[in-house]
Amino acid sequence: MATEIEAAQRQHELDAKAVDRLVFFSDAVIAIVITLMVLEVRLPALPEHATDAQVVAALIALWPKYFAVVLSFLVIGLYWTLHHRRFNFVRRVDSQLVWLNLIFLLTMACVPFATALVAEHPDLVGTVVYAATLAILSITAALVWWAVGRRPEIRADPAARREMRIAVVMGLLSAAFFSVSIAVAFVSTLLAKGLWLLFFLANRVAGRLSFGRPAK
Amino acid sequence: MATEIEAAQRQHELDAKAVDRLVFFSDAVIAIVITLMVLEVRLPALPEHATDAQVVAALIALWPKYFAVVLSFLVIGLYWTLHHRRFNFVRRVDSQLVWLNLIFLLTMACVPFATALVAEHPDLVGTVVYAATLAILSITAALVWWAVGRRPEIRADPAARREMRIAVVMGLLSAAFFSVSIAVAFVSTLLAKGLWLLFFLANRVAGRLSFGRPAK
Amino acid sequence: MATEIEAAQRQHELDAKAVDRLVFFSDAVIAIVITLMVLEVRLPALPEHATDAQVVAALIALWPKYFAVVLSFLVIGLYWTLHHRRFNFVRRVDSQLVWLNLIFLLTMACVPFATALVAEHPDLVGTVVYAATLAILSITAALVWWAVGRRPEIRADPAARREMRIAVVMGLLSAAFFSVSIAVAFVSTLLAKGLWLLFFLANRVAGRLSFGRPAK
Amino acid sequence: MATEIEAAQRQHELDAKAVDRLVFFSDAVIAIVITLMVLEVRLPALPEHATDAQVVAALIALWPKYFAVVLSFLVIGLYWTLHHRRFNFVRRVDSQLVWLNLIFLLTMACVPFATALVAEHPDLVGTVVYAATLAILSITAALVWWAVGRRPEIRADPAARREMRIAVVMGLLSAAFFSVSIAVAFVSTLLAKGLWLLFFLANRVAGRLSFGRPAK
């Protein structure tokens, strides 16, 4: 029986390690995505002895890029903080969770592409692709939390079920929100972009109200 | 004698740390490879005031790239999950394991090159180079698990030997599979690519059946 | 009551983990920023069979880039060491700290852009943008330490309050220093750059005097 | 007195954490350098419907790049394994060690630049710059181990002193070796490159003989 307890103990350690590694890998991917997206903002090639006025003009012309990158930085930052908080509720990982998380990361790695697109082609197509990317990101996030919530053996404690349900609902609401912004884009791309900012701000307020009580 | 026990304890801790670091380094390299491969998908340069139709056409023209990147993402994801699961069986590392692992990572870092090649030149050469890269990746993976399995002092427990033998056989089978797809490519490059998808799906099914019992 | 103690214990572990992850994520972002900045230094395209003299000339022509990159490497290295030392004083993280830290990282990810700008356009605009970036970086760092210092529940111990006050003051002084270098740049951009080197050296001397006593 | 013991315990934990973070940061930088160097190998732009023969020719024309990248991969891999093994002897870090390590990492981040240079311009200048970069890398590594070895309070145990002396001597010998290859390059750049391969192989043999006994 001692052996059984030892085996259970060892299994528990392996489980905890597997969760930590999944979180570590996700963090590494997100850190690379968020940082390279910012590093991709480059000054357009200028003549070697460009005047100060030319350089200033080139810097100012980049403003749609600044806006798009800062917005994406905030959105990715938001999804990262949520990812962290919610993985506190995960006790072990199974194959399904690993793969849904990989698909979530794949979608996140597409955000810089959509960001560059909307910055360079701010008309309908860029706006729709960006909103669609964030809608898909929200759905893949919802799938991750659904996979955690539906199986008692990979959840950390009873409270986790409720928390995961909230996470799924919030993911689907976010997807709905970005889908609406696609419809709005057909009327006004500017209004659609305003909605995205609103999305971030609303989440920050909601996050602030509930943060700091991760596994009561 | 107390000192001997202490020394053994300290050695054990150093061993565990060395394994953790090898896994961490591998994870970091794999995270960089998988993320940068996705980030490399860029919109081709378009005229500054491109119409929506032009942008849509450019996005659609990228589809071989999307296909290749998603396939490589899935394959790398698969090798990453296997790498993780199997390193649970490693108790310490020796020089040989470190170097075989480095060569495995070097091969993995070549996957984005092969991916870009097959996306841009989908004919025979691209197809063959991609299949050959994955065949070599499978062989280097098999070498890593062979190095773990053959020496009792670096394996975690008796069950590890059997597990590592399975890993070596699966690696060699994968290499054989990709070699066959090279031959198939001479008949039809499309069929060869279909086989790669099949490879991923078969592995997922097999993985699903055996996942979650890492160190019984 | 046993349950309460257990819950407190579990909360404590989650807190420690959350701090570790924030530090890990910050380290990953900083490692990417600092390394890619160096990797961005590339030889300009030369004719394929360039003579040795042409290659040497091209290497020498890169010197403003070497200077700017080494300076930024030292400054980022400095902020990284300070970030590490000071996070020893953080016991838990709250939403505000997470977001101020993200904004700090966003600013840091802008340093390579400013570095490339000042290397390629060393006149007034480049000099001012670089100094302004470092001034903003100093202010965001000060905000991070202000967020730690003002709330007793996220500080590790009583000494932390004093330490964080020093950190805020040093951040504001740094911002003031770089603001002064902006004014100086209008007189001489070379003198402004000399001031930046002086900034690094002064910090190194100060850091040397106080290092090694992180949580006395 | 209990408080003193507790304080010492806490200090010890902070020290261990600081060492771990320095190693983690170094690993992250090295992982980025080694991976991006491989990812930088790109197929030169070919006409969109290039024939298979054209693609094969382009792939073969890249061979100096393959050679240079694999060599650098092996050398960086070697320095990484040595860095790991030797940091087992470090008990705490001080400001000097942190900064010498940063300078070591800065030099390592220059290796891909030198690698690209020698691959594209394999004549005298490329050969000399590459050898000089590795010589400087060896010297900065020697400085790191000198900083560990000279101060008893940052070394893990008495054996560390001897080990660090060996490390310093090996670093200086490596620097001498690469300096000699600079002289050789003036006679034959091919011979100089052969010497680099020899360097790696000799180190592997030596490493194999002594590996696995890190903190006896």
Side-chain angles (χ1 to χ4, degrees):
Chain A
M1 217 195 84
T3 326
E4 260 173 53
I5 293 174
E6 265 173 39
Q9 177 68 21
R10 176 153 165 69
Q11 188 59 47
H12 181 77
E13 272 169 33
L14 284 175
D15 286 348
K17 228 179 184 173
V19 174
D20 280 353
R21 280 178 189 167
L22 194 60
V23 170
F24 162 75
F25 189 77
S26 309
D27 275 6
V29 169
I30 297 172
I32 298 166
V33 169
I34 211 170
T35 312
L36 282 181
M37 188 179 62
V38 178
L39 295 179
E40 276 297 305
V41 181
R42 287 170 213 271
L43 199 62
L46 284 168
E48 206 178 332
H49 296 288
T51 64
D52 276 346
Q54 282 175 305
V55 178
V56 169
L59 287 174
I60 290 173
L62 280 176
W63 79 262
K65 203 125 199 176
Y66 304 142
F67 172 81
V69 164
V70 169
L71 179 69
S72 291
F73 189 95
L74 295 176
V75 170
I76 295 178
L78 179 68
Y79 274 88
W80 172 69
T81 58
L82 291 174
H83 194 268
H84 260 216
R85 264 191 64 200
R86 286 168 183 162
F87 254 86
N88 281 334
F89 292 102
V90 177
R91 201 180 49 179
R92 40 176 300 201
V93 299
D94 63 356
S95 178
Q96 188 181 51
L97 179 56
V98 168
W99 280 100
L100 288 174
N101 192 64
L102 274 173
I103 291 167
F104 169 72
L105 294 176
L106 173 57
T107 316
M108 185 160 272
C110 296
V111 171
F113 179 85
T115 304
L117 188 69
V118 78
E120 280 166 37
H121 306 286
D123 291 342
L124 191 58
V125 178
T127 310
V128 167
V129 169
Y130 188 85
T133 305
L134 291 198
I136 295 169
L137 184 67
S138 303
I139 289 170
T140 57
L143 282 171
V144 168
W145 309 124
W146 165 80
V148 174
R150 83 194 182 99
R151 293 187 57 203
E153 64 271 33
I154 71 171
R155 285 187 257 126
D157 59 46
R161 193 169 189 191
R162 200 180 136 266
E163 198 78 18
M164 291 303 112
R165 274 192 191 151
I166 296 175
V168 171
V169 170
M170 281 182 67
L172 296 179
L173 282 179
S174 303
F177 188 96
F178 285 111
S179 303
V180 167
S181 84
I182 293 178
V184 169
F186 282 88
V187 182
S188 157
T189 57
L190 207 66
L191 192 59
K193 287 163 197 168
L195 282 178
W196 302 340
L197 259 184
L198 189 68
F199 170 78
F200 171 72
L201 293 172
N203 264 285
R204 274 295 289 124
V205 171
R208 194 136 188 195
L209 295 178
S210 68
F211 198 94
R213 288 168 296 136
K216 182 183 14 134
Chain B
M1 216 193 87
T3 327
E4 261 173 51
I5 294 173
E6 265 172 40
Q9 177 68 20
R10 176 153 165 70
Q11 187 59 49
H12 182 76
E13 272 168 33
L14 284 175
D15 285 348
K17 227 179 186 176
V19 174
D20 280 353
R21 281 180 189 167
L22 195 60
V23 170
F24 161 75
F25 189 78
S26 308
D27 276 5
V29 168
I30 297 171
I32 298 166
V33 168
I34 212 170
T35 312
L36 283 181
M37 188 179 64
V38 179
L39 295 179
E40 275 297 304
V41 182
R42 288 170 212 272
L43 198 63
L46 285 167
E48 206 179 333
H49 296 289
T51 64
D52 276 347
Q54 283 174 304
V55 178
V56 168
L59 286 175
I60 290 173
L62 280 175
W63 79 263
K65 203 124 199 176
Y66 303 144
F67 172 81
V69 164
V70 169
L71 179 70
S72 291
F73 189 95
L74 295 176
V75 170
I76 295 177
L78 179 68
Y79 274 88
W80 172 70
T81 58
L82 293 174
H83 193 268
H84 260 216
R85 263 191 65 198
R86 286 168 183 163
F87 254 87
N88 281 335
F89 292 102
V90 177
R91 202 179 47 178
R92 40 177 298 203
V93 298
D94 64 356
S95 177
Q96 186 181 54
L97 179 56
V98 168
W99 280 99
L100 288 175
N101 193 63
L102 274 173
I103 290 167
F104 169 71
L105 294 176
L106 173 58
T107 315
M108 185 160 272
C110 295
V111 171
F113 178 85
T115 304
L117 187 69
V118 79
E120 280 165 38
H121 305 287
D123 292 342
L124 190 59
V125 179
T127 310
V128 168
V129 169
Y130 188 84
T133 305
L134 291 197
I136 295 169
L137 184 67
S138 304
I139 289 170
T140 58
L143 282 172
V144 168
W145 309 125
W146 165 79
V148 174
R150 84 193 181 100
R151 292 186 57 202
E153 64 271 33
I154 71 170
R155 284 187 257 125
D157 59 46
R161 192 171 188 188
R162 199 179 137 266
E163 198 78 19
M164 291 303 111
R165 274 192 190 150
I166 298 174
V168 171
V169 170
M170 282 183 66
L172 296 179
L173 282 178
S174 303
F177 188 96
F178 286 111
S179 302
V180 167
S181 85
I182 293 179
V184 170
F186 282 88
V187 183
S188 157
T189 57
L190 208 66
L191 191 59
K193 285 162 198 170
L195 282 179
W196 303 339
L197 260 184
L198 189 69
F199 170 78
F200 171 72
L201 293 172
N203 264 284
R204 274 294 289 122
V205 171
R208 194 137 189 192
L209 297 179
S210 69
F211 197 96
R213 290 168 294 136
K216 175 185 21 135
Chain C
M1 219 194 84
T3 326
E4 260 174 53
I5 294 174
E6 266 172 37
Q9 177 69 20
R10 176 153 165 69
Q11 188 58 49
H12 181 76
E13 273 168 32
L14 284 175
D15 286 347
K17 229 180 186 173
V19 174
D20 280 353
R21 279 179 190 166
L22 193 61
V23 170
F24 162 75
F25 189 78
S26 308
D27 274 7
V29 169
I30 297 171
I32 298 166
V33 169
I34 212 169
T35 312
L36 282 181
M37 188 179 63
V38 178
L39 295 179
E40 276 297 305
V41 181
R42 288 170 212 273
L43 200 61
L46 284 167
E48 206 179 331
H49 296 289
T51 62
D52 276 347
Q54 282 175 307
V55 178
V56 168
L59 287 174
I60 291 173
L62 280 175
W63 78 262
K65 203 127 198 172
Y66 304 143
F67 173 80
V69 164
V70 168
L71 179 69
S72 291
F73 189 94
L74 296 176
V75 170
I76 295 178
L78 179 68
Y79 274 88
W80 172 70
T81 57
L82 292 174
H83 194 268
H84 260 216
R85 264 191 63 199
R86 286 168 183 163
F87 254 86
N88 281 334
F89 292 102
V90 177
R91 200 180 50 178
R92 40 176 300 201
V93 299
D94 63 357
S95 178
Q96 188 182 51
L97 179 55
V98 168
W99 279 99
L100 288 174
N101 193 64
L102 274 173
I103 291 167
F104 169 72
L105 294 175
L106 173 57
T107 315
M108 185 160 271
C110 295
V111 170
F113 179 84
T115 304
L117 187 70
V118 77
E120 279 166 39
H121 305 287
D123 292 343
L124 190 59
V125 178
T127 310
V128 167
V129 169
Y130 188 85
T133 305
L134 291 198
I136 294 169
L137 184 67
S138 303
I139 289 170
T140 58
L143 281 171
V144 168
W145 309 125
W146 166 79
V148 174
R150 83 194 182 100
R151 293 187 57 202
E153 64 272 32
I154 70 171
R155 283 187 258 128
D157 59 47
R161 194 169 187 191
R162 200 180 136 265
E163 198 78 18
M164 290 303 111
R165 273 190 193 154
I166 297 175
V168 171
V169 170
M170 282 182 68
L172 296 179
L173 282 178
S174 304
F177 188 96
F178 285 112
S179 303
V180 166
S181 85
I182 293 178
V184 169
F186 282 88
V187 183
S188 158
T189 57
L190 207 67
L191 191 59
K193 287 163 196 167
L195 282 178
W196 303 339
L197 260 183
L198 189 69
F199 170 78
F200 170 71
L201 293 172
N203 264 284
R204 274 294 289 121
V205 171
R208 195 137 187 194
L209 296 178
S210 69
F211 198 94
R213 290 169 293 139
K216 179 185 18 138
Chain D
M1 216 194 87
T3 326
E4 261 173 52
I5 293 174
E6 266 173 39
Q9 177 68 20
R10 176 152 165 70
Q11 187 59 48
H12 181 76
E13 273 168 33
L14 284 175
D15 286 347
K17 228 179 186 175
V19 173
D20 280 353
R21 280 179 189 167
L22 194 60
V23 170
F24 162 76
F25 189 78
S26 308
D27 275 6
V29 169
I30 296 171
I32 298 166
V33 169
I34 211 169
T35 312
L36 283 181
M37 189 179 63
V38 178
L39 295 179
E40 275 297 305
V41 181
R42 289 170 211 274
L43 200 61
L46 285 166
E48 206 178 333
H49 296 289
T51 63
D52 275 346
Q54 282 174 304
V55 178
V56 168
L59 286 175
I60 290 173
L62 279 176
W63 78 263
K65 202 124 199 174
Y66 303 143
F67 172 80
V69 164
V70 168
L71 178 69
S72 291
F73 190 94
L74 296 176
V75 170
I76 294 178
L78 178 69
Y79 275 88
W80 172 70
T81 58
L82 292 173
H83 193 268
H84 260 216
R85 263 191 65 200
R86 288 169 182 163
F87 254 86
N88 281 335
F89 292 102
V90 176
R91 202 179 48 177
R92 39 176 300 202
V93 298
D94 63 357
S95 177
Q96 187 181 52
L97 179 56
V98 168
W99 280 100
L100 287 174
N101 193 63
L102 274 173
I103 290 167
F104 169 72
L105 294 175
L106 173 58
T107 315
M108 185 161 272
C110 296
V111 171
F113 178 85
T115 304
L117 187 70
V118 78
E120 280 165 38
H121 306 287
D123 292 342
L124 189 60
V125 178
T127 310
V128 167
V129 169
Y130 189 84
T133 305
L134 291 197
I136 294 169
L137 184 67
S138 304
I139 289 170
T140 57
L143 282 171
V144 168
W145 310 125
W146 165 79
V148 174
R150 82 192 182 102
R151 292 187 58 201
E153 63 271 33
I154 70 170
R155 284 187 257 125
D157 58 46
R161 192 168 188 192
R162 199 179 136 266
E163 198 79 18
M164 290 304 110
R165 274 192 191 152
I166 296 174
V168 171
V169 170
M170 281 182 67
L172 296 179
L173 282 178
S174 304
F177 188 96
F178 285 111
S179 302
V180 167
S181 86
I182 293 179
V184 169
F186 282 89
V187 183
S188 157
T189 57
L190 207 67
L191 190 60
K193 286 163 197 168
L195 282 179
W196 302 339
L197 259 184
L198 189 69
F199 170 79
F200 171 72
L201 293 172
N203 264 283
R204 275 294 289 122
V205 171
R208 195 138 189 192
L209 296 178
S210 69
F211 199 94
R213 289 168 295 138
K216 169 188 25 134

